Amino acid sequence: MIDDLPAGLTARHPVEEDHARVLGVLDAWWGGLKGQAGALERALLLPRLYFQHFTTTGFLVEGDGGEVAAFLVGFLSQTEPDAAYVHFVGVDPRLRGQGIGRVLYRAFFALAGSHGRRYVHCVTSPQNTASRGFHTRLGFTESAVKADYDGPGLDRVAFTLDLSASPLSRG
Amino acid sequence: MIDDLPAGLTARHPVEEDHARVLGVLDAWWGGLKGQAGALERALLLPRLYFQHFTTTGFLVEGDGGEVAAFLVGFLSQTEPDAAYVHFVGVDPRLRGQGIGRVLYRAFFALAGSHGRRYVHCVTSPQNTASRGFHTRLGFTESAVKADYDGPGLDRVAFTLDLSASPLSRG
């Protein structure tokens, strides 16, 4: 499905049973950020419905032993026929620096393009400088900080990539 | 758009600017349940993306003065071509008992059916007896309690309605 992952890793579309497995690694990958409250926040951001109803545009990457190595949850906009959206992406911190996140985004770009989508959107927290740098290097255009974007106190920066203008979309 | 609402109420599909308006009424409607943590939980369950990318299958009901009276957020499954999903529904507690929730669900059933969807799914918390009774009366079949369904500690009961078998789908 994705042929440019590092050796030992394979990708497939997720299934419902992967939901608990992905939630199970999030706390470790996020370094337990904000403790129990943080774990609840991450679970609420990633309800089971994404692993039931938006699986065909998502990816789960597993290692040789079947362990979760990375994932991408995204969907096609039902409002905007030219848009797709990346909702949540994670890579095992022990596997960072190998371009796995970039490979997953490029696979999503190809899928979105195959469905006639031109724009890919996503958001991140203003404090997440690693995520902001990652998206900018991928070719996303970053918005100014939008206060209370996802609710009171939930500031976000929004990213947009025009697949028709990006060399990465051909990757 | 929906012609059987109580007098003084009108429905339309939501737009992005409605996101903050809906979040703004949730705390009052839920009686401030669980305080600040509850407000954050509700915001995380209803990120802005639903008011950007899933607007064509949602409804916002407003009163004479433009105030938010009720809403329904739902979508068509991208994985299951015969399924649709109701994610979040709220009705102003001062307007309950007038069948507004039922009218919104029936409008969603009609929309889902017009897109070739046969099954409508949703979930609620086992403790939410009002919601469980409401869905059962609407014709939904309720599952047993599913422990940790949406994550650790987030038990749910799941509901399914077969539109082809329900007289409500013709309403």
Side-chain angles (χ1 to χ4, degrees):
Chain A
M1 170 173 290
I2 301 181
D3 57 13
D4 45 358
L5 284 167
L9 299 180
T10 54
R12 60 174 170 81
H13 293 309
V15 296
E16 184 171 346
E17 290 67 31
D18 294 319
H19 175 246
R21 301 178 62 214
V22 167
L23 285 188
V25 299
L26 282 190
D27 293 337
W29 291 6
W30 262 254
L33 186 67
K34 294 203 266 180
Q36 282 295 96
L40 178 61
E41 284 182 35
R42 289 184 284 276
L44 292 172
L45 280 170
L46 208 52
R48 178 178 292 254
L49 66 90
Y50 286 106
F51 291 80
Q52 296 169 316
H53 300 299
F54 300 102
T55 59
T56 55
T57 48
F59 300 104
L60 186 83
V61 179
E62 295 169 307
D64 275 335
E67 71 280 11
V68 178
F71 67 92
L72 181 150
V73 171
F75 54 79
L76 307 175
S77 175
Q78 284 182 13
T79 299
E80 301 175 31
D82 61 355
Y85 190 90
V86 177
H87 176 54
F88 211 133
V89 179
V91 176
D92 186 330
R94 294 165 295 187
L95 298 172
R96 286 193 192 143
Q98 300 183 47
I100 297 171
R102 172 173 291 249
V103 167
L104 288 183
Y105 267 80
R106 289 171 71 153
F108 182 81
F109 297 160
L111 252 182
S114 76
H115 286 277
R117 308 296 162 130
R118 175 173 172 178
Y119 299 102
V120 177
H121 301 286
C122 53
V123 300
T124 201
S125 301
Q127 298 82 357
N128 194 337
T129 50
S131 172
R132 294 174 68 171
F134 170 81
H135 285 91
T136 303
R137 287 192 300 277
L138 258 180
F140 281 91
T141 300
E142 183 182 285
S143 75
V145 174
K146 295 168 183 270
D148 301 327
Y149 182 86
D150 266 330
L154 299 173
D155 300 350
R156 298 286 185 262
V157 290
F159 299 99
T160 301
L161 182 86
D162 182 345
L163 292 174
S164 73
S166 167
L168 287 168
S169 63
R170 298 177 216 125
Chain B
M1 170 173 292
I2 301 181
D3 56 13
D4 45 358
L5 284 166
L9 299 180
T10 53
R12 58 174 172 80
H13 293 309
V15 296
E16 184 171 346
E17 290 68 31
D18 294 319
H19 175 248
R21 300 179 62 213
V22 168
L23 286 188
V25 298
L26 282 189
D27 293 338
W29 291 6
W30 263 254
L33 186 68
K34 293 204 267 179
Q36 282 295 96
L40 178 60
E41 283 183 33
R42 288 183 285 275
L44 293 172
L45 280 170
L46 208 52
R48 178 178 291 253
L49 66 89
Y50 286 105
F51 291 79
Q52 296 169 316
H53 300 299
F54 300 103
T55 59
T56 56
T57 49
F59 300 105
L60 185 83
V61 178
E62 295 170 304
D64 275 336
E67 71 279 11
V68 178
F71 67 91
L72 181 150
V73 171
F75 55 78
L76 308 174
S77 175
Q78 282 182 13
T79 299
E80 302 176 30
D82 61 354
Y85 189 91
V86 177
H87 176 54
F88 211 132
V89 179
V91 176
D92 187 330
R94 294 165 294 186
L95 299 172
R96 285 191 192 145
Q98 300 183 47
I100 297 170
R102 172 173 290 251
V103 167
L104 289 184
Y105 268 81
R106 288 172 72 153
F108 183 81
F109 297 161
L111 252 181
S114 76
H115 285 278
R117 307 297 162 130
R118 175 174 171 176
Y119 299 102
V120 177
H121 301 286
C122 53
V123 300
T124 199
S125 300
Q127 298 82 358
N128 194 339
T129 52
S131 172
R132 293 174 69 172
F134 170 82
H135 286 92
T136 303
R137 287 192 300 278
L138 258 181
F140 281 91
T141 301
E142 184 183 284
S143 75
V145 173
K146 296 168 182 271
D148 302 328
Y149 182 86
D150 266 331
L154 300 173
D155 300 351
R156 298 285 186 261
V157 290
F159 299 99
T160 301
L161 183 86
D162 182 345
L163 292 174
S164 73
S166 167
L168 288 168
S169 63
R170 295 177 218 125

